[in-house]
Amino acid sequence: MDEQLFFKKLNNLCTSREIFYFLSSLEVMSDTMASGALQRISEVEVDDNGLKNPGLLENEVFRALCFQFEFESSKLSNTGLLTALQALIKLRIDPQSTLMASLLSESEERLGKGQLTAENLCALGESLLELEGPSCATLEQIVNHMQEKDIKRWSPREIVMFYKILQVTGREGKQCQKLLNRLNSVTLHTVSQLSPNTASVILNSLVALRQTRAVPLVTALCKHSVKHVPYFTDHELVNVLEALLYFGQKVQSFTEALERHVPKSILTMHPQTVSKIMQYCCKKMILSKPIFDAVAEGFISNADRLTTDQIAAYIIPFGTLNYLPPSASSLFRKLETVLHTRLRHFQPHTLLNLLHSCVLIQRYPINFLPKIFSPYFLQKLQAQPPGLNRVVMSQLIQLFLTVTLECPFYEGPKLFSKYQVKAFPTLHSSPDVHLFKRVKAGLLYLLKKRIYFASEVSTPYFYVVDIEIKLDEEGFVLPTTQLEEVHRRIALCVDGQNRFCAHSHNLLGEEAIKQRHLQLLGYEVVQIPFFEIENLQNTRKMADYLHKKIFPCTYGLSN
């Protein structure tokens, strides 16, 4: 039978029984046809759980095929030899069997003689990775032979296989980087042809190979991935998200594609994929309401099946980005139920991160705070990395301040004084330097003297105030050094873009809780957000703006 007709008929068959019946009707077939038949059998009879029907290995037709490959391996074409090897590995044939030993020996002999094409080398590399793993010494030989080939003529399959082999062989140094530079350059021109799987695998390899200079290729792959978002498997999507995080890429169209995809797929998506999507949003400060609302619904439905790390990954971004979804009451009721049943399973730092994120958005885990403030729990925190560093201390103090200021009915243990530090700059608390300078210049124009306002003031309540102004009972501004007759304290929060979610006017949770606590501590909080002042063209206009914000009831500036 003509090979083209053979493969057309073969690919329409869906069970090994149909394939064996078809093969037994043929008098003669080439080794390429025979290996293609083995490949088709492996495609229809192997799934994620392994071989569906182990009995097929005893079938007479199957055994006859194997006999041909075992005893005539030296007569096989390269394609027939390597396709058969791949199919038999997939069918879980014993690697120590004489059949497999014969095929492997013949493949390695041809490799040594330099008889394999780039396509053959990729097929052999794939087989050896599957069979022996990254430690296989022959992979080095394959890399050496592939370097001699013309990379510009390679297909996407050959490119992706070479990335995988380079990734697992762990080559380093200038010579390897030169090779990677060539490969990255060629890959850039094939990006538009890449399938979802291929794009995902290459991005994963670029991360593993630390190709931070391959910016054009990474950017092209990330943009190309946008159209594949609905078609990625969970594993492939995680690879892409990890690459976006590693290379610092933030592609708006990719976020928009996720916003369309996640709400439709949330109930079937693997929890680890959802966790990675939330990590991506959290790290990039992307407050996507479609994604967050869908994840909240997914948590309500699936929380009982999540690991403790996944629970934290689902919930923490809500606090970090200061967002309550429409289903907030059901979401936090479900979280409380889960915590009651599984509290002891959480690692100390995971639990602290989780409960701290809740108070950022005014959800108070009162029932669980006695555990957090217990000496035993604090010792466990200290004993496990990262220990009681500045971030951990700030979380503990904010929990302590929250129960003190916002939950006066809480009567459980509080944070021991030895764990209380004087001031804790939070991750996003430092003001934007340029913005801060302009605001101070405007204040100086308004108040005439520098003694009437203080910047970056440490308070007795652990927070640092960007700018503090003191007023007496009649509303006159006092020198900052004056301690008596202070009737009002104004805290100016100079909020640059780093205190807001990306492309948003939504304050981050850390800054929202700080401003809330300062108000409860008696400050009059005046927010100076970047989007209100970035277009003010001179100091006079800035002073006008500050006058209206800080002293709205007094007359305007005199000329």
Side-chain angles (χ1 to χ4, degrees), residues 432 435-436 438-439 466 492-500 504-507 511 515 525-536 542 545-546 549:
D432 178 297
L435 211 60
F436 202 45
R438 290 184 62 211
V439 170
D466 292 338
L492 265 62
C493 296
V494 184
D495 295 329
Q497 291 187 23
N498 62 331
R499 293 182 178 176
F500 292 87
S504 165
H505 295 173
N506 194 75
L507 269 181
E511 192 60 28
Q515 295 185 17
V525 174
V526 177
Q527 190 186 7
I528 312 293
F530 75 94
F531 50 85
E532 289 183 3
I533 61 176
E534 58 188 354
N535 293 323
L536 298 179
M542 176 68 79
Y545 165 84
L546 292 170
K549 288 286 282 196

Side-chain angles (χ1 to χ4, degrees), residues 222 240-249 251 254 280 284:
C222 291
V240 175
L241 289 164
E242 284 179 343
L244 286 165
L245 287 167
Y246 180 81
F247 291 109
Q249 294 276 325
V251 182
F254 187 87
Y280 170 73
K284 300 291 183 184

Side-chain angles (χ1 to χ4, degrees), residues 43-96:
E43 289 168 358
V44 300
E45 290 294 346
V46 178
D47 58 20
D48 292 340
N49 298 316
L51 196 58
K52 296 178 193 174
N53 173 25
L56 74 85
L57 302 182
E58 301 302 319
N59 180 279
E60 286 182 12
V61 177
F62 181 80
R63 290 169 71 87
L65 284 172
C66 291
F67 183 88
Q68 179 185 349
F69 283 107
E70 182 177 345
F71 292 101
E72 298 182 7
S73 60
S74 61
K75 299 177 184 177
L76 300 173
S77 66
N78 287 343
T79 301
L81 172 68
L82 294 163
T83 303
L85 182 62
Q86 284 182 306
L88 293 168
I89 289 170
K90 196 172 179 182
L91 288 164
R92 310 290 196 275
I93 302 299
D94 181 5
Q96 306 302 321

Side-chain angles (χ1 to χ4, degrees), residues 184-429:
N184 293 342
S185 177
V186 169
T187 307
L188 180 59
H189 298 293
T190 65
V191 166
S192 61
Q193 305 168 37
L194 302 181
S195 67
N197 175 261
T198 306
S200 163
V201 170
I202 292 175
L203 278 170
N204 179 250
S205 294
L206 291 172
V207 171
L209 293 163
R210 301 191 291 279
Q211 293 299 290
T212 50
R213 293 184 181 178
V215 176
L217 175 57
V218 171
T219 303
L221 284 167
C222 291
K223 288 180 178 176
H224 177 69
S225 297
V226 172
K227 68 179 182 181
H228 291 318
V229 166
Y231 313 108
F232 282 127
T233 64
D234 282 308
H235 178 67
E236 289 163 0
L237 184 54
V238 166
N239 278 350
V240 175
L241 289 164
E242 284 179 343
L244 286 165
L245 287 167
Y246 180 81
F247 291 109
Q249 294 276 325
K250 187 161 69 176
V251 182
Q252 180 61 26
S253 54
F254 187 87
T255 304
E256 290 166 2
L258 283 178
E259 288 178 338
R260 294 188 293 271
H261 176 62
V262 172
K264 292 186 289 188
S265 312
I266 191 69
L267 296 178
T268 55
M269 203 175 270
H270 193 281
Q272 206 55 38
T273 310
V274 179
S275 299
K276 187 59 69 175
I277 290 169
M278 291 302 272
Q279 183 193 1
Y280 170 73
C281 290
C282 199
K283 293 270 187 188
K284 300 291 183 184
M285 300 301 166
I286 298 168
L287 175 53
S288 166
K289 292 181 181 180
I291 293 174
F292 277 52
D293 292 349
V295 170
E297 295 294 342
F299 184 85
I300 293 164
S301 303
N302 296 326
D304 296 325
R305 296 196 287 274
L306 303 180
T307 67
T308 53
D309 284 343
Q310 288 165 354
I311 291 167
Y314 273 55
I315 299 297
I316 287 171
F318 286 93
T320 304
L321 302 189
N322 188 28
Y323 177 65
L324 284 172
S327 59
S329 57
S330 300
L331 174 67
F332 287 96
R333 194 161 50 243
K334 184 67 178 180
L335 176 61
E336 186 168 13
T337 303
V338 170
L339 285 172
H340 271 299
T341 55
R342 299 171 64 185
L343 189 68
R344 61 190 178 86
H345 297 136
F346 281 84
Q347 289 296 313
H349 286 281
T350 305
L351 182 60
L352 176 62
N353 288 334
L354 179 59
L355 298 186
H356 175 256
S357 72
C358 292
V359 302
L360 296 179
I361 42 178
Q362 296 176 278
R363 289 298 181 268
Y364 308 114
I366 298 299
N367 295 326
F368 311 105
L369 290 179
K371 178 182 177 74
I372 295 291
F373 294 138
S374 72
Y376 175 66
F377 184 81
L378 293 170
Q379 285 170 7
K380 285 174 70 178
L381 271 179
Q382 193 161 9
Q384 293 183 10
L388 295 177
N389 65 11
R390 298 284 289 181
V391 174
V392 173
M393 291 306 302
S394 74
Q395 290 176 327
L396 287 169
I397 292 164
Q398 277 187 324
L399 283 172
F400 164 68
L401 279 172
T402 298
V403 295
T404 305
L405 299 171
E406 301 184 63
C407 309
F409 48 85
Y410 174 76
E411 296 179 350
K414 301 282 182 72
L415 186 65
F416 289 162
S417 58
K418 74 173 185 176
Y419 293 104
Q420 298 174 21
V421 292
K422 183 167 183 182
F424 56 92
T426 52
L427 192 60
H428 298 277
S429 70

